[in-house]
Amino acid sequence: MLDFSKIEEKWQSRWFTEEVHIAKLGPQKKYFIHFAYPGISGYLHVGHMRGFTYADIIARFKKMSGYNVCFPAGFHASGLPAISLAKRVARKNKQTIGYLKENGCPPEIIPTLSNTNAVIDYFSQVYVEDYWKKFGFLIDYSRLMTTISPGYQKFIEWQFKKLNEKKLLIQKPHFAPFCPNCGPVAVDKSETDISQGGNAEVLEFTLIKFRMDDLVLPAATLRPETVFGVTNIWINPTVEYTKIRVNGEKWIVSKDAVKKLSAQIENIQITNETIPGNKLIGKKCTVPLLDREVPLLPATFTDPKIATGIVMSVPAHAPYDYVALKESKENIQPRAIIDIKGYTIPAEGICKKMGIKSQKDTEKLDKATEEIYKKEFHQGVLNKKCGKYAGIKVSEIKDRVKNNLLDTNKGGIMMEFSEQVQCRCGETVIIKKIPDQWFIKYSDKDLTLKSKHHVSTMNIYPQEYKEELQKVLDWFDDRACIRKGSWLGTGFPFKKSWIIEPISDSTLYPAYYTLSQYVNQKKIKADEMTPEFFDFVFLGKGTPKKQIWNEIKKSYDYWYPVDINLGGKEHKTVHFPVFIMNHVALLPPQKWPRGIFVNWWITQTSGIKISKSKGGAEPIPGAVHRYGVDPLRLYYAHVCSAHVDIEWEEKTLEQYKRKIIKIWRFVHNLLEIKGTAESIDEWLSVSINAEINYINKELENYHLREAATHIYFEINKILQWYIRRGGKNHDLLRSIITTWLRTMAPFTPHIAEEIWEKMGNTGFVSTETYPRYNPALSNQKVLTKENLLIQVIDDISEILEVTKIKPSRIYLHTSPPWKWTMATMACDLKEKGKLTISNLLNTFFARPDLKQHAQEASRFAQKMYRIMQNPTAMEVYQQEINEKSYLQETKGFIKNMVNAPQIDIYNAGDDKAPDPGNKKKVAEPLRPAIYLE
RNA sequence: GCGGGGGUACCCGAGCGGUCAAAGGGGCAGGGCUUAGGACCCUGUGGCGUAGGCCUUCGAGGGUUCAAAUCCCUUCCCCCGCACCA
């Protein structure tokens, strides 16, 4: 029986003790592959293994194809995840402890994980020992590194100094999510730092200052251009408003807004004066730019938690305002200021159309708002009520009105989330303005252009991403690259106590793998890794201070650049772009990355990405135990294309496990066969050789799935057919299986090794060369003949099924010679690009001996012409094969397959051949006439 | 808004101009094996057909082509990313 874990342990231990995985400099072509290193945030799950497995399969294939492969890995320890895990352990958070236990964390380890460094040490060891090694990955473990090691930090410092020298570090104001308790937080879908609001977007509200005596009502809007259509201001009568002083002005805003504005505007003074909303109602204020007076009216939809809590009302264009105005019963007419087709007063129109009656009907109102907004944005033009802006398209006006308001101190800016965001500590997350934030200037024109051009020369999988990536580079803007707070990472060299953020310290890192093993072996110490050292190693500047510098430089020169960087689709818009741009910015062109491979995700049955917070994550050791590593590897490689999401389903995994077992048994059965040569042998060799050709081509293009289909399914089928056809050549089978195992080795290495050894081979199949196409073995005729046989059996079977005849005798008439002649002539003409029906007939009749077939020739020429339009037809018809003799040879087999006692085979060109069914005339090349009786 | 992807038989998923009624799995049906069940192995799985064929299908509607699931246009629907999350 096949014991997966036993052979896994056996071969893994042998590979690693014999150091199959270690990358050493050599004379061969090098191949450098790595995957986007995982962040240290806890246990990984089966979803992560998908990409890692692809990397290992590719690395193994390249190794077997004669490349000297370097496949390093590391850990991204920067940022918050490790800290937050440690904090949760320290707090004895129940969920966290439970999660650790469930994943098999030893009880004595758990308390130690309240320390961040312990988290990093523990999990990096788990990743290596429990995941990567258990999957048999031939990662060069002597190069492991983490982003918070002293050597790496030296490397990052050097990188930022270089960026600064290149004028790619700039300073400007920035708005960032911020928790008053915890400092900067990340707002993202996976909700790492927050407990609510992962879908929030950052919106830019324009504050429009409506004046009321000496007071300012800063109404917040996303559509400043509609200021011309304001008819009133909405105040929530149930809300207590607060007065604040802003640059000598007195503003009225909601209480919630005070905190937010203080984080964004300097010099805000909070007064103790409050004013209830209902006291404001009925007063009047002035619309800026127009100097019209409008009243303050009550509206319950005005939410004090959103922006300033003061809303300007544009009933002609905002459905909410329109409905609220109707409900207020005020005698105020909407002022339509934007013309669009189909509406005179858009908000009124859509409310009537959708039957909206109340401002509480928020679902419909949201829909109406969206529809009107889209229409107005795309088709709308400001009308004459807008003074000097009349005639301008809405899509162009927004910023102009906003800037005009700002320039004349009639407005301001407020950044706000589209929904409430809650920090994990319980506090509401706000947006803070950092006046002098440091950025990496990814908007740099020259850098963008060079990067885009380089991308166009790269190997990118999937192909579509190549174009997408160039577009991403176009809109990729400057990135805030440092933060203040308790984060793991490298200190920023130009601003004390600020730390480089986790994306920015993970861009050039594969270069560090070319020297990490020297650090690990203590051949160089972190404090020796000065800027001069990196200048020398990476840029060839200066002179080496020590011999080891030369050695390290040699390693870098040999292995770099990256041939493939492999990562999940989540990296498409951030990691991969910065990975490329930093290389382009800092290194010479010959060191720029050559390839990117993007893999999609494993999702839960519902289509949700598997994640720790959303659940559904199957722990890796459990899956290894249940299904076995080789089945898992084959599953990843074969279940679907690498560039599409797939749901994790137990049944599917079981299926792959069975598939491996079947192959295991099948191979063993084949090896038991002790016969000698048969005529079908040649077909087997030729077919396998054709498969090898195909598999190599697919693998060279990183089509792992397609290659796996042929290795595990097509070759299997071919061998099955061989056996059915009576093949039993022991020596040939052994040699074919040897080849087959080598094709499997990158995908399912353990089982391949195990059989390899059982067959008495020495060494590792993993270090053998990958099977290569042998042109001498290519023989289309052999394949065509066998296909003829299959076709004949298929046809007979179909006839039997349709007619329900139990045949006592079958007549086969193979194609008359003249039809073959015409077929080969057609191929000839096709090859010369001269194939037309008339050319074909002319060529044909040029031969006097063929004139006798004039009557049928024209019809057959038409048919042949049609067949030849198929590009694969040429190789099939190019060489005439002796159909009759092949069928004669295989007659016994056909009889068996179709269950017929007697088969008589003739050539249709033979006038004396009996033709009881009058079928002879339909015989064509590779389609013999068939008659049953 | 910007950018990307996708809609394929009962289901999951390949295919991305000719070998396509469409790989591979699952499910279902029949047969073999077995004391029985499971596992395993065959066969079938759009419709019609007493001759290897014909007809209809790859979201919908048009078009290009000798030939389209595959290319183009229009249209409907779904999914994803948009930045301090790696």
Side-chain angles (χ1 to χ4, degrees), chain A residues 103-234:
Chain A
N103 279 279
C105 185
E108 68 276 13
I109 299 284
I110 294 178
T112 68
L113 297 182
S114 56
N115 174 292
T116 307
N117 285 328
V119 168
I120 290 163
D121 290 346
Y122 176 69
F123 281 103
S124 39
Q125 168 255 322
V126 166
Y127 294 3
V128 171
E129 299 299 327
D130 295 353
Y131 305 157
W132 298 344
K133 286 190 177 169
K134 287 273 157 54
F135 262 69
F137 295 162
L138 297 185
I139 290 172
D140 183 347
Y141 298 101
S142 71
R143 292 170 192 267
L144 295 175
M145 56 96 160
T146 92
T147 55
I148 55 162
S149 64
Y152 190 84
Q153 297 193 332
K154 290 284 192 179
F155 168 67
I156 296 299
E157 276 170 27
W158 171 81
Q159 183 188 346
F160 275 78
K161 282 180 180 155
K162 288 289 138 185
L163 285 170
N164 196 40
E165 279 173 24
K166 305 248 175 194
K167 309 249 179 293
L168 288 170
L169 290 183
I170 55 169
Q171 274 183 291
K172 60 182 180 181
H174 181 57
F175 294 92
F178 184 86
C179 165
N181 287 342
C182 311
V185 289
V187 174
D188 68 322
K189 288 225 169 65
S190 59
E191 302 192 338
T192 322
D193 301 351
I194 56 179
S195 60
Q196 188 200 322
N199 289 313
E201 288 177 65
V202 175
L203 304 174
E204 184 191 86
F205 282 89
T206 302
L207 302 183
I208 300 181
K209 296 180 185 173
F210 289 76
R211 289 185 194 271
M212 192 169 72
D213 305 323
D214 63 327
L215 294 173
V216 169
L217 294 166
T221 179
L222 294 168
R223 301 188 58 189
E225 73 282 6
T226 59
V227 68
F228 304 109
V230 170
T231 60
N232 58 288
I233 293 291
W234 296 120

Side-chain angles (χ1 to χ4, degrees), chain A residues 385-652:
Chain A
K385 292 200 184 93
C386 305
K388 62 174 181 173
Y389 298 114
I392 299 174
K393 286 186 195 157
V394 172
S395 53
E396 293 163 7
I397 192 64
K398 198 175 230 134
D399 285 345
R400 287 176 62 177
V401 174
K402 180 183 87 183
N403 291 334
N404 186 353
L405 287 164
L406 292 179
D407 294 346
T408 54
N409 193 30
K410 287 172 180 158
I413 294 290
M414 177 176 183
M415 306 300 276
E416 174 73 302
F417 287 115
S418 57
E419 55 182 278
Q420 278 273 310
V421 180
Q422 204 100 44
C423 179
R424 287 207 177 271
C425 75
E427 186 69 43
T428 302
V429 175
I430 58 169
I431 295 171
K432 187 180 161 82
K433 181 179 180 182
I434 301 157
D436 55 352
Q437 171 66 285
W438 286 83
F439 288 81
I440 299 178
K441 193 182 168 199
Y442 290 119
S443 65
D444 187 87
K445 285 232 169 64
D446 184 48
L447 176 58
T448 302
L449 211 68
K450 275 190 192 156
S451 303
K452 273 173 70 182
H453 179 257
H454 179 62
V455 165
S456 73
T457 70
M458 288 174 69
N459 304 313
I460 292 183
Y461 311 92
Q463 188 67 39
E464 302 86 61
Y465 180 51
K466 192 165 185 164
E467 270 192 44
E468 188 185 352
L469 182 51
Q470 297 184 57
K471 287 176 184 159
V472 172
L473 289 170
D474 260 333
W475 63 252
F476 203 95
D477 207 351
D478 303 336
R479 184 182 181 89
C481 61
I482 58 170
R483 323 150 135 183
K484 198 173 176 178
S486 55
W487 313 86
L488 294 183
T490 301
F492 185 60
F494 307 107
K495 193 168 184 182
K496 266 216 165 122
S497 78
W498 285 65
I499 290 168
I500 293 165
E501 65 85 28
I503 300 278
S504 301
D505 79 356
S506 308
T507 59
L508 206 62
Y509 72 92
Y512 192 77
Y513 288 133
T514 66
L515 55 88
S516 59
Q517 101 255 36
Y518 299 99
V519 180
N520 293 345
Q521 290 162 7
K522 308 217 166 20
K523 288 187 179 169
I524 183 153
K525 278 188 262 167
D527 49 16
E528 294 172 55
M529 294 161 74
T530 55
E532 296 73 44
F533 166 76
F534 288 111
D535 276 347
F536 176 73
V537 172
F538 293 146
L539 304 175
K541 283 187 190 160
T543 49
K545 289 224 172 98
K546 281 188 169 181
Q547 182 46 36
I548 191 73
W549 289 26
N550 283 316
E551 201 178 317
I552 292 171
K553 181 168 167 44
K554 238 167 93 183
S555 161
Y556 168 75
D557 284 342
Y558 177 73
W559 294 115
Y560 230 59
V562 171
D563 289 286
I564 285 285
N565 177 359
L566 190 147
K569 68 174 182 183
E570 69 276 21
H571 296 301
K572 288 202 294 181
T573 46
V574 182
H575 169 64
F576 288 135
V578 297
F579 161 70
I580 289 168
M581 283 196 273
N582 278 275
H583 276 84
V584 169
L586 301 178
L587 299 180
Q590 67 271 22
K591 297 297 182 191
W592 297 351
R594 295 205 181 128
I596 287 176
F597 187 105
V598 188
N599 66 274
W600 264 234
W601 294 333
I602 306 278
T603 61
Q604 291 172 246
T605 330
S606 49
I608 303 166
K609 184 192 181 187
I610 300 180
S611 77
K612 273 146 281 168
S613 53
K614 301 285 192 307
E618 166 128 23
I620 294 162
V624 166
H625 180 250
R626 219 179 353 267
Y627 308 116
V629 166
D630 283 344
L632 282 165
R633 292 176 60 114
L634 183 59
Y635 163 81
Y636 291 123
H638 183 261
V639 69
C640 63
S641 130
H643 315 300
V644 75
D645 289 337
I646 183 73
E647 292 176 3
W648 179 262
E649 281 183 305
E650 264 179 56
K651 274 201 310 205
T652 312

